[in-house]
Amino acid sequence: MVKVVLQIIVKELNQMETFDKIIFGAGFYGLYSALFCAKQEQKILVLECDQAAFCRASYINQARVHQGYHYPRSLSTALKSASYFERFNQDYAFCINKEFQQIYATSGEYSWSNSKQFQEFCSAANIPCEELPPKKYFKESMCDGVFRTREYTYDAMILRDYLLRELEKYASNVVISYGVKASSVDKESDAYVIHTEDGKTYKSNFVLNATYAGTNQILELFGFESFKIKYELCEIILCTVGDKLKEIGITVMDGPFFSIMPFGKTGYHSLTSVTFTPHMTSYDEVPAFSCQEHSNGFCSRAQLGNCNDCPAKPLTAFPYMAKLARKYMLEEYGFQYERSLFSMKPILMSSEIDDSRPTVIRKYSENPTFVSVLSGKINTVYDLDEVLRDGK
């Protein structure tokens, strides 16, 4: 786990302090929301169960700044990703890696999309793609279409540090409390009162649930209906790569294939595969996995532990992912295992049909207001602006 070098000083709170907004989760969506509201001179509390920000999905993912290429069977997801692509890259240019070619390819077999369909999809989504000869990257007959696209990756640690520095400018109005777990909630006539396991109490008439994999646990705590989602315990593998691959990202799609691409500005590539990245799947409303029974209480249905620190985390699937990638790629594009990162990924059940990845924002109550957001796309964070602005 990356060592956290920036923290907002956590001040001692009174017996019960009132805030304009309380935000669960110090990932990107949580810190973005805190900064958005701080700029409106609101008093904000962020509650984070880990000991630092960005310890889970905001850091542990492919780091892809989507422009829609990944979703040829969901034009709506592609259009939504593309609509925010330029804005995100402009706002956070300092953490964006543009110094590589992003190559998408359609497999010659077992694919949901062929070369012609992918080109038609890109045209419909109004996103650029340039056809290239498959033999430049792949073994003979493995891919029927290869395309140079325009897509980048972001560096999560640079982004986290920036947000924390910006939030420090509003230190008199913003508190981030780490290592906090909520134990119960009371609803008053115009406010929610949140009690935590360390005996503290916080109050606000606006609560935002931005916990991603912990979404349903927080909804259950507040007594609201859960999202219909499945959970995947996923592995992102960080690799060192040879010179030929350093400035290239490769994604073979649309089916049980793989991606290997620069992991932000870290110098590593991330390796993932549709088949082997998920180690376990749970269809329960709150995630239930067999490994929880062997975690010595570190992880449970009520409170997800961080898989990277868990004594029961899975063994790496690198041998299987590497074999799949090497089946397709030319030998000159070499890579080696460096380390594994694990995180929990929630996927809406409705997305199983067309592989869509919508950003879902639900307002469960008003005055007091409770809002929950579930999104797997970093650049669709701007969908939150309206609800945050309306919740003054």
Side-chain angles (χ1 to χ4, degrees):
M1 183 59 60
V2 173
K3 183 179 179 180
V4 176
V5 295
L6 282 175
Q7 299 283 14
I8 290 183
I9 297 174
V10 181
K11 66 178 182 179
E12 289 296 322
L13 299 175
N14 299 328
Q15 188 67 21
M16 181 168 71
E17 192 165 350
T18 300
F19 294 85
D20 293 313
K21 288 187 175 72
I22 294 177
I23 299 168
F24 281 90
F28 178 62
Y29 274 64
L31 295 190
Y32 172 90
S33 300
L35 183 57
F36 184 97
C37 297
K39 290 178 179 179
Q40 300 178 53
E41 299 182 350
Q42 297 180 36
K43 189 178 180 182
I44 307 300
L45 171 66
V46 179
L47 298 177
E48 170 56 52
C49 64
D50 283 323
Q51 298 298 326
F54 275 52
C55 281
R56 305 200 190 194
S58 293
Y59 167 58
I60 304 167
N61 63 80
Q62 289 181 317
R64 193 190 301 264
V65 183
H66 284 270
Q67 192 169 199
Y69 299 102
H70 216 57
Y71 300 100
R73 287 180 285 124
S74 177
L75 185 59
S76 62
T77 302
L79 290 170
K80 173 67 74 172
S81 298
S83 68
Y84 288 136
F85 181 78
E86 297 294 348
R87 180 178 174 184
F88 185 89
N89 284 298
Q90 182 176 345
D91 289 350
Y92 302 105
F94 53 85
C95 72
I96 303 297
N97 182 357
K98 299 182 179 181
E99 303 304 315
F100 67 99
Q101 295 185 66
Q102 186 73 300
I103 304 300
Y104 274 77
T106 50
S107 178
E109 56 183 10
Y110 308 120
S111 178
W112 290 95
S113 305
N114 60 31
S115 175
K116 183 175 183 292
Q117 290 170 329
F118 184 74
Q119 287 177 295
E120 291 173 346
F121 158 74
C122 289
S123 177
N126 195 29
I127 51 180
C129 74
E130 174 191 353
E131 191 166 13
L132 300 173
K135 65 180 181 180
K136 184 175 182 180
Y137 303 99
F138 301 102
K139 295 174 182 175
E140 187 175 356
S141 302
M142 294 308 297
C143 293
D144 72 346
V146 175
F147 307 91
R148 181 187 289 116
T149 63
R150 190 167 68 96
E151 197 171 63
Y152 313 130
T153 61
Y154 73 96
D155 194 297
M157 295 296 99
I158 296 175
L159 178 58
R160 177 207 63 188
D161 292 353
Y162 163 80
L163 290 169
L164 291 177
R165 283 195 300 269
E166 289 298 300
L167 284 166
E168 284 178 346
K169 297 176 183 178
Y170 303 91
S172 60
N173 283 349
V174 178
V175 176
I176 302 180
S177 191
Y178 297 103
V180 174
K181 298 178 182 179
S183 56
S184 63
V185 176
D186 297 322
K187 183 179 179 181
E188 297 184 347
S189 59
D190 62 349
Y192 287 107
V193 178
I194 299 166
H195 306 279
T196 60
E197 290 183 357
D198 59 2
K200 295 181 180 177
T201 304
Y202 311 115
K203 182 177 181 179
S204 179
N205 67 358
F206 189 106
V207 175
L208 173 65
N209 176 16
T211 56
Y212 193 52
T215 295
N216 279 353
Q217 281 93 341
I218 299 298
L219 289 173
E220 188 175 75
L221 184 69
F222 277 78
F224 293 122
E225 181 182 359
S226 299
F227 282 88
K228 303 302 180 186
I229 56 181
K230 74 171 184 178
Y231 299 87
E232 292 180 344
L233 198 169
C234 294
E235 179 185 16
I236 306 291
I237 295 175
L238 299 188
C239 298
T240 56
V241 301
D243 290 340
K244 282 278 190 177
L245 195 53
K246 279 185 178 178
E247 296 179 358
I248 298 173
I250 291 175
T251 296
V252 177
M253 58 177 328
D254 165 34
F257 308 118
F258 72 96
S259 291
I260 184 165
M261 49 195 277
F263 190 61
K265 296 185 175 186
T266 64
Y268 296 116
H269 273 45
S270 66
L271 174 64
T272 58
S273 85
V274 172
T275 303
F276 302 113
T277 285
H279 281 254
M280 305 178 195
T281 302
S282 171
Y283 291 90
D284 296 76
E285 285 194 358
V286 290
F289 292 97
S290 58
C291 55
Q292 291 171 332
E293 301 172 6
H294 308 289
S295 70
N296 301 323
F298 181 83
C299 180
S300 70
R301 289 170 58 91
Q303 180 66 55
L304 281 174
N306 189 320
C307 298
N308 297 280
D309 303 322
C310 182
K313 67 182 178 183
L315 297 175
T316 181
F318 176 75
Y320 307 102
M321 292 195 212
K323 183 178 180 180
L324 175 62
R326 288 169 178 151
K327 175 184 175 182
Y328 280 83
M329 294 164 53
L330 295 177
E331 297 295 336
E332 61 197 75
Y333 296 112
F335 58 92
Q336 298 81 36
Y337 177 86
E338 178 67 22
R339 66 178 183 273
S340 298
L341 300 171
F342 295 93
S343 70
M344 200 69 68
K345 181 179 181 180
I347 301 172
L348 286 166
M349 297 291 287
S350 59
S351 297
E352 295 289 272
I353 300 171
D354 60 1
D355 199 36
S356 62
R357 293 294 186 270
T359 296
V360 181
I361 300 173
R362 292 180 183 171
K363 182 180 285 188
Y364 284 85
S365 66
E366 198 161 2
N367 195 31
T369 299
F370 183 95
V371 175
S372 195
V373 57
L374 184 67
S375 176
K377 299 289 160 285
I378 195 164
N379 47 313
T380 57
V381 70
Y382 302 109
D383 280 346
L384 275 174
D385 290 3
E386 184 177 351
V387 72
L388 294 173
R389 194 179 293 113
D390 291 346
K392 287 183 180 179

